[in-house]
Amino acid sequence: MTRYNFNTCPDRRNSESVKWDLYPGTLPMWVADMDFEVAPEIREALQKRLDHGVFGYELVPDSYYEVMSRWFRERHGWEGIGRETIVPTTGVIAAYSAAIKAMTRPGDKVLVQTPCYNAFFPAIRNNKCEQLVNPLRYDGSRYIVDWDDFEAKTKEARVFLLCNPHNPAGRVWTREELLLMGEICRRNNVFVVADEIHCELTYPGHNYTPWATLPAQYVENSVSCISPTKAWNVAGIQIANIYAANPDVLARMDRAINDNECCDVNVFGVAALQAAYGKGGAWLDELRTYLWHNARAVSCYLEDELPQVNVLPLEGTYLMWLDCRTARRSGESMEGFSERFATHLREKHGLVLSTGTIYGAAGEGFERLNIACPRTRLLDGLERFREGFLSYRDAQ
């Protein structure tokens, strides 16, 4: 028996929502926030904080670290989180941007695995570093690491920016894969910055391995960026944390977030984080079950109605990666296809997806679908996608 309802959600139109109000009159299934209401436990904590009536500068209490430590220890076997290993900040983007700033000099190279989260690119550029790409290998069903290329690129890189679970490919890297990444980075003296914002959103058979639970020789030369904002749908209440086991590294992170002026955290973020990690486990478990059934619904629908489209199996996140290359018309260039196809879906069928190429050139031919919505809305989106695919392909 379920305690929470994910089959209905508020009308978000005309609420200044980036997701819903940027493209009025459409069905938005693009940007990575969920249409579900937050857990009632979080709402109660925020209401209590609101009722206090004063929202000045706030110290981060011991309970903040204690509840986070207990969550990650019990859920993920991660020991060591505490005030002495954590720097709070305003968001994961701010966290990894500060980490790049702290660990590089202008002109250094930062390694990413494309297709990858599009905000990685400006974070590298804004820190005056050079982007280095290790394209993931797509075998027609999933993405894997090109290890020879990874080894070669780490010989040039100063920092490796890891995404686990991976957005947009939906991979949850195995412990064995992470150990190999760690050994290659250690051997080539590459600092690892692990973006683990989607870590709670994994599905049967795919367990999240925190980078910080790897052997000490890999963890000492790394930081991990974590936040409850994706899993509990509180992205607008910005809060995140940088973990570093090495005290010298932690001090550099603290200096960098102060240099970047992102060191003062949101009072509501402090309350939301404690409620999420302290009381939000049951809601999260039901959410993951609902999202898993949504993912199955997408796979079954496309298999039955549009087998020309290959949808990658979802291991983590709520973002599905669709191989749409079979929609190309005869003689149509692949260059620019993802943008043309996404524009067609939006303008002709009122469906907004994330264009594959915003995640790098490796995303050409793909679109990203956000499935974090009630199932009836998801099915509406799939119908629009099917109609848009067929009308695009068959147009002269």
Side-chain angles (χ1 to χ4, degrees):
M1 183 176 181
T2 59
R3 292 170 54 187
Y4 305 101
N5 178 18
F6 297 101
N7 286 314
T8 60
C9 60
D11 184 352
R12 298 182 64 191
R13 291 171 294 187
N14 302 313
S15 66
E16 312 305 330
S17 163
V18 169
K19 183 177 183 180
W20 281 87
D21 292 335
L22 191 60
Y23 302 105
T26 65
L27 178 59
M29 304 184 78
W30 62 293
V31 70
D33 73 14
M34 297 188 277
D35 287 335
F36 309 122
E37 288 187 351
V38 301
E41 294 83 357
I42 294 177
R43 293 184 67 175
E44 290 168 8
L46 293 175
Q47 186 63 54
K48 181 178 179 181
R49 186 66 186 84
L50 181 66
D51 290 343
H52 181 264
V54 179
F55 315 114
Y57 300 116
E58 182 166 322
L59 297 171
V60 178
D62 288 339
S63 56
Y64 176 98
Y65 302 97
E66 290 163 1
V67 72
M68 189 162 40
S69 175
R70 183 166 60 251
W71 174 272
F72 281 97
R73 182 178 65 251
E74 294 176 356
R75 286 265 175 160
H76 305 299
W78 178 355
E79 302 280 358
I81 288 179
R83 187 181 286 275
E84 69 284 357
T85 57
I86 288 286
V87 177
T89 186
T90 55
V92 162
I93 294 175
Y96 61 67
S97 180
I100 294 169
K101 183 184 189 73
M103 304 309 299
T104 64
R105 295 178 179 177
D108 282 349
K109 296 179 180 179
V110 177
L111 180 63
V112 295
Q113 296 174 309
T114 57
C116 67
Y117 179 44
N118 53 299
F120 283 4
F121 305 137
I124 296 168
R125 185 173 60 249
N126 293 342
N127 281 292
K128 298 180 174 58
C129 290
E130 182 180 337
Q131 177 181 299
L132 196 60
V133 174
N134 168 229
L136 296 174
R137 290 172 53 193
Y138 177 54
D139 65 5
S141 61
R142 69 202 293 261
Y143 284 92
I144 58 175
V145 178
D146 182 334
W147 293 108
D148 290 338
D149 184 74
F150 185 79
E151 174 91 52
K153 296 294 173 57
T154 55
K155 295 181 187 302
E156 303 178 54
R158 176 68 189 97
V159 167
F160 168 44
L161 187 47
L162 169 69
C163 192
N164 184 38
H166 190 278
N167 171 18
R171 280 295 317 276
V172 177
W173 302 116
T174 66
R175 183 173 182 85
E176 291 71 26
E177 287 170 317
L178 294 173
L179 285 168
L180 186 49
M181 292 177 190
E183 177 56 26
I184 292 171
C185 288
R186 183 202 64 79
R187 194 159 59 230
N188 293 292
N189 194 31
V190 174
F191 188 86
V192 177
V193 178
D195 173 359
E196 299 182 339
I197 194 171
H198 290 277
C199 68
E200 306 301 341
L201 299 168
T202 62
Y203 303 109
H206 304 283
N207 295 320
Y208 155 66
T209 300
W211 183 270
T213 63
L214 299 183
Q217 64 265 32
Y218 307 145
V219 178
E220 286 291 308
N221 198 38
S222 75
V223 295
S224 299
C225 306
I226 52 176
S227 171
T229 55
K230 290 298 182 194
W232 282 275
N233 201 32
V234 289
I237 305 176
Q238 297 187 348
I239 190 75
N241 295 280
I242 305 172
Y243 170 88
N246 184 326
D248 292 335
V249 169
L250 192 75
R252 294 175 74 168
M253 296 303 126
D254 187 55
R255 179 69 265 157
I257 67 164
N258 278 275
D259 287 347
N260 284 3
E261 304 293 357
C262 56
C263 51
D264 292 321
V265 294
N266 186 312
V267 296
F268 292 102
V270 173
L273 180 144
Q274 292 184 85
Y277 289 136
K279 300 178 180 179
W283 184 91
L284 177 65
D285 290 340
E286 288 194 20
L287 168 74
R288 291 169 62 192
T289 298
Y290 193 90
L291 290 173
W292 174 238
H293 286 298
N294 271 4
R296 296 300 307 142
V298 172
S299 296
C300 291
Y301 179 93
L302 292 177
E303 183 178 347
D304 292 341
E305 301 292 336
L306 207 60
Q308 306 95 315
V309 173
N310 185 32
V311 55
L312 277 71
L314 190 64
E315 299 176 3
T317 81
Y318 50 76
L319 307 162
M320 299 193 77
W321 193 234
L322 308 180
D323 183 350
C324 303
R325 290 176 294 177
T326 52
R328 272 195 308 159
R329 304 159 188 152
S330 177
E332 181 182 8
S333 171
M334 176 60 75
E335 185 177 356
F337 163 74
S338 288
E339 180 62 35
R340 293 191 299 272
F341 183 51
T343 299
H344 173 81
L345 291 175
R346 183 177 70 249
E347 294 181 351
K348 302 298 184 182
H349 298 273
L351 176 66
V352 186
L353 304 184
S354 293
T355 306
T357 45
I358 70 173
Y359 308 104
E364 186 66 89
F366 294 79
E367 309 289 342
R368 194 188 74 172
L369 170 72
N370 180 343
I371 65 168
C373 61
R375 199 150 303 130
T376 53
R377 182 170 294 168
L378 177 65
L379 294 174
D380 179 14
L382 290 172
E383 283 290 319
R384 294 177 190 230
F385 179 77
R386 182 186 66 83
E387 293 168 1
F389 180 98
L390 295 175
S391 64
Y392 184 91
R393 184 197 62 186
D394 297 338
Q396 298 301 318

